[in-house]
Structure formats: C-alpha cells, structure tokens
Amino acid sequence: MDEREEELSSITAIFPELVIQPDDPFSASIELPVAPLAPLNIAFPSAAPPTPPTSDNEGSTYNLGPGRAAGASKEVHQLAYLPPLKLQITLPEGYPAEKPPQFELAAGANWVPENVLKKLVLGGEALWEEYGRGQVVFAYIDSLQQAAERCFDLVDKAEKPLEMPANMKIELLDFNMQAKRRQFEQETFDCGVCLEPKKGSVCYRMLRCGHVFCVGCLQDFYNSCITEGDVSSVKCIDPSCGKDGDGKKKDRTLNPSELLQIPIDKAMVQRYAELKRKKKIESDKDTIYCPRNWCQGFARSSKHPKITDLTQVPDSDSESDSADADNDNKERASRLTICEKCDYAFCRVCLAGWHGEYVRCYPRNAKELSEEEQASYNWLRRHTSPCPTCSSPCQKTHGCNHMVCFQCRTHFCYLCSAWLDSYNPYEHFNTEGTPCYMRLWELEEGDEAEGNARNDMFVGGLRGWEADAVAAHEAANEAAAQELQDEEDAAAAAVLAAGQNQHHAAPPPARNPIQNPNPAPNPQANHRPNPPANQLNANANPAAKRQPRQPAPPAPAQPARAPAAARRARPLPRHAQRAQQPAAHPGIQRFLRMVVADEEDGWDSDELDGDDQAFAIPVRD
C-alpha cells in the first residue's frame, strides 16, 4: 500500500468526517468546526445613525452584553459557534520525503480574512519542515483546531470585539443559533416537570436561565396560564429560578418571542402579549381612560404602545427607557388625548371633548361620579379588601384569610390588609395582642356567605382611616347639633324667666343722666338688647359707632305684661340671628365649602368680579 494512502486511511479512523475523493485516493477534504473557548464578541454596524463617542478614546464605547451598546454606533453580539474552516488536502507524488503536502483553506461565510488564511497555509509547510519532512497531516489538523479555539488570534484582547461587515450579520447569527440547537439535540436531559429523560430534540432550554423542560410540559402549562389570564405565571417553571443571594425570588415573565420558539401557538402568544400590556396599563397611575361610559378604553401612549409585531415586544425587565420617559413627559405637556379604542379626542385635564390648547379648563372633581360608578365603588368598599402594595380590590370566596394578590403577588391579610411575609405568612395570625389573633379561618365560606357580619369581623386595614374619618365627622356633627340645641334651650329658658320677672315686679324707672348723676346700681343696666334684623349691619358702618348714645325713654309705671319693644329686645337664639343675616355671596359660599374639603386650590377668584358686596360679611355685636 502507498504510504500516502495509508496515512489518509489512518486519519479517517480518527476523524470520520474526513472525506476521500473517489477519483483521487490521495486527496481528501474535511470541515473543522470553530468553537472558541470563550464566546467571541463580534461588532456589526448599527442601523441607527452613529453618535459621537462619549469617552476620550477614539471610536465608540462597546457594550459587551447582547444587544445595542448605549451611545455606540455598533451592535455587539456574543457568538459561541462560527462557520467551519474547510480544509482541502492533496498529497503529491514524492510526499513526504521530497515534496510537502498541499493545503487549501476557506472559511464559511468568508468571515476569516484572506491574509490569515494564507498565514495558516504557510504554517503547514513550516510544520512539514519542522517534522523533518515526515507525515504531518494529522499534526496540521490538530494545529488548526487549536488555532480555531483561539479564534485564529483575530483579536488581541478578549474584551475587544471583532468587527464584521453588516452583510455577514444575519448569516453568522443564524449559524450560531443553528449550531447551538444541533448540539442541544444530541444531548439527553431530565425534564423538570415530568421527571423523565428526554432527548434534546423534544426539549427546550430557557434563554435567560438555561433550565431545560420538555416541549409538551411547557406547552400544557403556558397554554393553561394564558387561557386563565394568569400572565404572571408565564415564567420559568423551576422553583429556584430567579432567586438572588438573599433567597428572595424575582419573577421574570417570558418574552412573546421566546414563546414562539418553544413553540406556542401564535394566537395564544398574541393573547398573552395583550393581557400583559393591559396589566401594565392598569397598574400605571398615569393611565388615562376614555370618558365615554360605553367605551372606557385606554388613551394612546408611547410608554405602552399598541402591539403590532410579537417579535418586537420589549423585555419586561428592560422597558424603563429614558427615551420612553421623555416621550411620556411630552404627552403630559400636551392636553390632547386620543382613545386608542374609539379614536375619541378629549382633554386630559377636564376630560371634555377636545377644545384646543388655548382654552382654560379645570380638573374634573373626583367626587363627580356617575350613578353606575358610585354603585360599583360602594360594592367594592363593602365586598373587597385592597392589596397593601397596589391597592387592587380582592375578594375571597372561601378558605383562610391569608391572601395573595393576583396583580402583584403580594401576601396580605384579608381582614386588615396588613402585609405578610411570604416565608412565614401565618405569624400574623399567631401574634397575641393583634386584632387578627386566632382569626385565620374567619369568613371561611366567603364574605358574602349567609350569616357573615362583615362589618363586625373586619378591622379596617387600608380603609381604617376612612372609617375613622367618617366616625369623627359624624361625632363632630352630633356635638355641633347638641351645642346648638343647648344654646336654644338656654335662650328659651332666659326668655321665659325674663317674662315671669316682668309679670311679678315692675321695672325700675329709667334714670336721667343729668338730674341723677349717682343713681343706685341696677342689675339690668348692663343688659344690651339685640338690634332688630334691619339694623344688624350697623356695626359695619364706622360712622354709626361715632354717634352719641341716646337715653332710653321712660318705661311705663307698672304694665301687666312686657311691652312690644321689650319683647323685641329679648335675646334671640344664634340660629335665628344667622337666619336674619343677609346671605353671603354664592362665590364665598362655594369657597368656604372647598376650604372644608381641602380643595381651595381649584377656586377661581374671578367669581367675585363685578360684585362689591361680596365681602360685606355681617359682624355680630
């Protein structure tokens, strides 16, 4: 057997992928995979216009993680697999003693520069000389594999990315994904749900955490969650996934594009994306709803754009972007708002139909609820308990009082809305001295079950301040009413006593200030009768105060009953005095009501224009 043929056959036993040409037994070809020891950072020109560099060095700063670097003009991706290196081997006559072997190198997708390939070919001839002109095919293949692990020394430093033209981006990224899939399909995994060993061809590896489950288990679980609307459970099923060093778990839902790769039906993924967006919009305190009662849709917002492409939905963990915040601030600056459901244009301040930017309007009063809204609000207050984190109303139909919010997954007490530790939620019900001590199973059949006195069992929680405020307001009203009643009773008793005294004893004669300069003291001399109703504003006139006091006319000798003038001089109750005072201006009355409600910032002083009597408030003596 020829020495060349013997060498190629022995190499075939080591590398089965070596293919010998059928028409030439001394020629062979092989594809050498390129899998660097560490993923290679490759930079592609970004589609966005380049931005000036932010550092002192020339060029742009790179983000070594996947995706686009902040402030850079290139996209950097980490590739674990690159297109293989194709080696063509020809052993001429006279090899190995007289002639060296002939090598030809080519890289898939032409990602290796030509000068690097020529350098590798010359390295084969140098290796033949180094081996004393002996058989070097195996040694040359081994040297190429070692160079491939170093990525042919194309980059000097591991953290520096290798720049590639934009036309290679799709091909290189697609090859890397397909190579990972082929490698994955050749392995065997134990599914974390059914606990059965499965080939990688019927399994799926989570992109973020790397946990492996069979496709059937993932499809059954995620389809059930999306159908029931439990989008917060569409995440990695592994119980330990997402836990940090403190043992606390961070829930991270899956991106719709990853669900399509499992694969999940596109209609189901569309429903998941819509429910997830709806949940974010409802939990956002800045969300504006359409004022039409039959619509109640969401207003258009750049912060939560409408989903048109499932592959372009941003990740939930990286959605807080400064650009979105700037767009949101611009939308707030403009009062024009458009409903995305019915395209109704309205003002975000007064919720009326759009009236232009230069029309002055005022915010809608929060107390202005429709009959339907008030009924819904009253029902929620009577039959739900709010979550202490997101204030979402929750209702219990059966079970214990340890609740988990469906919106934000917060653990809380249904009786008092207190926050509970997720690792020991029942300590709250076992602590003596608390209102919920030994009350874990109250309302076991639900708060609407027959015989449950909800108002007696509940201890307030987040609405405790509301109940206290209502009780304080009612107590204040009762105290004011009692005080007014006491004043009226005292005034009536005084009038009755004065009438009896005047009936049994005649009043003393009126003293003359000129003829009797030192009269005897009279206990009724300091009594000043109230002025008539038509003279209540006399004290408001300064000139009236400066007039000398006229002496009282002499009283009759001994009347049988008090004269009409004396009856008019009797003190009136306060409510009667207030009834005789002129009514205040409607603007003043509205201002006083707003002061009581702590809403005086919304009062407009223009309501008093054109009325000079608005501030003529009567002054009582």
Side-chain angles (χ1 to χ4, degrees), residues 256-309:
S257 60
E258 185 172 0
L259 293 178
L260 294 174
Q261 298 178 26
I262 289 178
I264 304 296
D265 186 66
K266 185 176 181 180
M268 192 67 68
V269 178
Q270 182 71 32
R271 170 178 167 81
Y272 166 72
E274 294 293 342
L275 289 175
K276 192 176 179 181
R277 174 176 177 263
K278 182 175 181 290
K279 182 178 179 180
K280 294 178 185 177
I281 294 177
E282 291 177 347
S283 60
D284 190 352
K285 62 180 181 180
D286 298 326
T287 300
I288 299 178
Y289 298 87
C290 179
R292 291 176 170 177
N293 293 331
W294 56 268
C295 177
Q296 290 295 302
F298 308 122
R300 298 178 186 176
S301 172
S302 59
K303 188 177 181 180
H304 306 288
K306 206 167 185 178
I307 299 175
T308 56
D309 188 1

Side-chain angles (χ1 to χ4, degrees), residues 397-465:
T397 57
H398 66 277
C400 67
N401 291 316
H402 167 215
M403 304 290 291
V404 180
C405 179
F406 189 79
Q407 183 80 7
C408 63
R409 314 305 297 177
T410 297
H411 296 251
F412 68 97
C413 172
Y414 190 64
L415 294 178
C416 65
S417 294
W419 181 88
L420 303 181
D421 188 359
S422 59
Y423 294 97
N424 189 11
Y426 302 104
E427 181 182 4
H428 173 74
F429 303 96
N430 298 328
T431 304
E432 297 184 6
T434 61
C436 299
Y437 176 63
M438 301 297 292
R439 301 179 64 183
L440 176 63
W441 290 102
E442 289 191 9
L443 299 175
E444 181 179 358
E445 299 180 359
D447 60 357
E448 290 187 335
E450 184 178 358
N452 284 342
R454 176 183 174 89
N455 295 333
D456 297 335
M457 293 184 179
F458 279 64
V459 293
L462 292 182
R463 296 199 180 105
W465 67 268

Side-chain angles (χ1 to χ4, degrees), residues 19-247:
V19 179
I20 299 177
Q21 300 296 331
D23 56 344
D24 187 359
F26 308 116
S27 297
S29 61
I30 186 174
E31 287 189 355
L32 301 177
V34 180
L37 296 177
L40 182 64
N41 297 314
I42 298 183
F44 301 97
S46 174
T51 56
T54 56
S55 61
D56 297 335
N57 301 328
E58 295 182 0
S60 303
T61 57
Y62 293 93
N63 180 10
L64 298 182
R68 183 177 301 175
S73 60
K74 291 181 174 58
E75 293 182 1
V76 180
H77 297 267
Q78 290 184 341
L79 302 184
Y81 298 94
L82 292 166
L85 194 66
K86 299 178 181 179
L87 173 62
Q88 181 69 33
I89 304 172
T90 303
L91 302 181
E93 187 176 356
Y95 170 83
E98 298 176 359
K99 293 183 180 179
Q102 298 177 2
F103 300 120
E104 295 180 4
L105 288 175
N110 297 325
W111 67 275
V112 181
E114 290 292 335
N115 59 340
V116 176
L117 295 178
K118 291 180 179 178
K119 184 178 179 180
L120 293 175
V121 171
L122 295 177
E125 297 180 2
L127 189 62
W128 176 70
E129 293 287 350
E130 182 180 348
Y131 272 63
R133 298 190 175 188
Q135 296 179 356
V136 295
V137 176
F138 175 77
Y140 182 63
I141 294 177
D142 183 65
S143 65
L144 290 178
Q145 288 180 334
Q146 296 180 10
E149 293 178 352
R150 305 189 310 270
C151 201
F152 309 111
D153 299 326
L154 293 177
V155 291
D156 299 334
K157 299 179 180 180
E159 64 272 9
K160 184 178 180 181
L162 176 64
E163 297 187 8
M164 291 288 179
N167 56 359
M168 294 185 181
K169 176 182 175 181
I170 297 178
E171 188 173 1
L172 293 181
L173 294 180
D174 182 69
F175 180 85
N176 178 69
M177 182 179 63
Q178 296 295 336
K180 285 184 176 181
R181 185 63 189 175
R182 287 194 298 268
Q183 182 69 20
F184 178 75
E185 291 177 353
Q186 296 175 3
E187 302 178 13
T188 303
F189 304 92
D190 291 334
C191 176
V193 179
C194 61
L195 304 179
E196 295 182 1
K198 299 290 183 68
K199 294 294 293 183
S201 57
V202 294
C203 293
Y204 179 79
R205 188 194 300 272
M206 295 293 175
L207 297 181
R208 182 183 287 112
C209 58
H211 292 127
V212 179
F213 306 93
C214 66
V215 173
C217 292
L218 291 179
Q219 289 178 341
D220 293 341
F221 179 74
Y222 291 148
N223 287 333
S224 176
C225 291
I226 297 174
T227 302
E228 296 176 358
D230 188 9
V231 295
S232 59
S233 297
V234 182
K235 55 188 177 184
C236 179
I237 311 177
D238 193 287
S240 62
C241 183
K243 289 186 177 180
D244 53 13
D246 299 334

